[in-house]
């Protein structure tokens, strides 16, 4: 079975959780930081993604706490989530390595279409 590549927001959410449990706002903040402001998740988008990732067994609830009278749920990466993130990071690294190798190739080889 071939696993599809991840969408960037999913990759970033799992990356945020790889550092330890986070609540929703913490995930949103970390994703913005990791992506250097290129990806800004909205709450609705985040919670839909968290529900999907939970259903896929990639994340789970770590704990809940009450802050200012509101429940704050923390999420953590599962072993399956860590394995999936690792596989995706390796796939991206391989693709990046190829891109950089080709960019360093002599210009004449690029013009002629040979690597």
């Amino acid at each position: 079975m071939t696993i599809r590549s991840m969408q960037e927001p999913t990759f970033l959410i799992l990356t945020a959780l790889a550092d330890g449990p986070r609540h929703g706002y913490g995930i949103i903040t970390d994703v913005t930081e990791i992506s250097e402001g290129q990806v800004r998740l909205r709450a609705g988008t985040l919670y839909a993604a968290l529900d999907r990732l939970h259903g896929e067994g990639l994340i789970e609830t770590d704990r809940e706490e009450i802050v200012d009278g509101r429940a704050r749920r923390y999420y953590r990466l599962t072993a399956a989530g860590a394995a999936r993130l690792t596989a995706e990071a390796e796939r991206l690294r391989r693709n990046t390595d190829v891109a950089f190798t080709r960019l360093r190739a002599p210009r004449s080889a690029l013009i002629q279409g040979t690597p």
Side-chain angles (χ1 to χ4, degrees), residues 15 17 22 29-30 33 37-38 45 50-51 67 71 76-77 80 82 85 87 91 93 99 113:
T15 300
L17 293 173
R22 296 227 182 336
T29 302
D30 207 20
E33 184 179 311
Q38 296 298 307
T45 302
L50 292 174
D51 285 344
V67 177
R76 70 172 168 250
L77 207 55
L85 178 59
R91 183 190 72 78
R93 181 176 39 215

Side-chain angles (χ1 to χ4, degrees), residues 76-95:
R76 70 172 168 250
L77 207 55
T78 62
R84 182 70 179 89
L85 178 59
T86 298
E88 182 67 6
E90 289 173 350
R91 183 190 72 78
L92 291 169
R93 181 176 39 215
R94 283 190 306 273
N95 290 347

Side-chain angles (χ1 to χ4, degrees), residues 4-110:
R4 287 180 10 146
S5 60
M6 281 183 196
Q7 296 295 314
E8 186 175 20
T10 299
F11 180 79
L12 294 170
I13 290 167
L14 294 179
T15 300
L17 293 173
D19 198 31
R22 296 227 182 336
H23 55 76
Y25 181 74
I27 296 169
I28 288 171
T29 302
D30 207 20
V31 163
T32 301
E33 184 179 311
I34 293 165
S35 70
E36 298 179 336
Q38 296 298 307
V39 176
R40 295 180 185 273
L41 297 175
R42 294 186 176 177
T45 302
L46 172 66
Y47 287 104
L50 292 174
D51 285 344
R52 180 179 51 78
L53 294 169
H54 187 270
E56 293 174 5
L58 302 180
I59 66 169
E60 61 190 6
T61 301
D62 182 69
R63 68 186 183 278
E64 286 188 17
E65 62 185 21
I66 304 299
V67 177
D68 295 329
R70 296 183 57 180
R72 179 180 287 173
R73 182 174 293 155
Y74 286 76
Y75 299 90
R76 70 172 168 250
L77 207 55
T78 62
R84 182 70 179 89
L85 178 59
T86 298
E88 182 67 6
E90 289 173 350
R91 183 190 72 78
L92 291 169
R93 181 176 39 215
R94 283 190 306 273
N95 290 347
T96 302
D97 288 348
V98 170
F100 281 121
T101 297
R102 290 182 179 194
L103 286 167
R104 285 190 298 267
R107 192 75 183 142
S108 61
L110 291 174

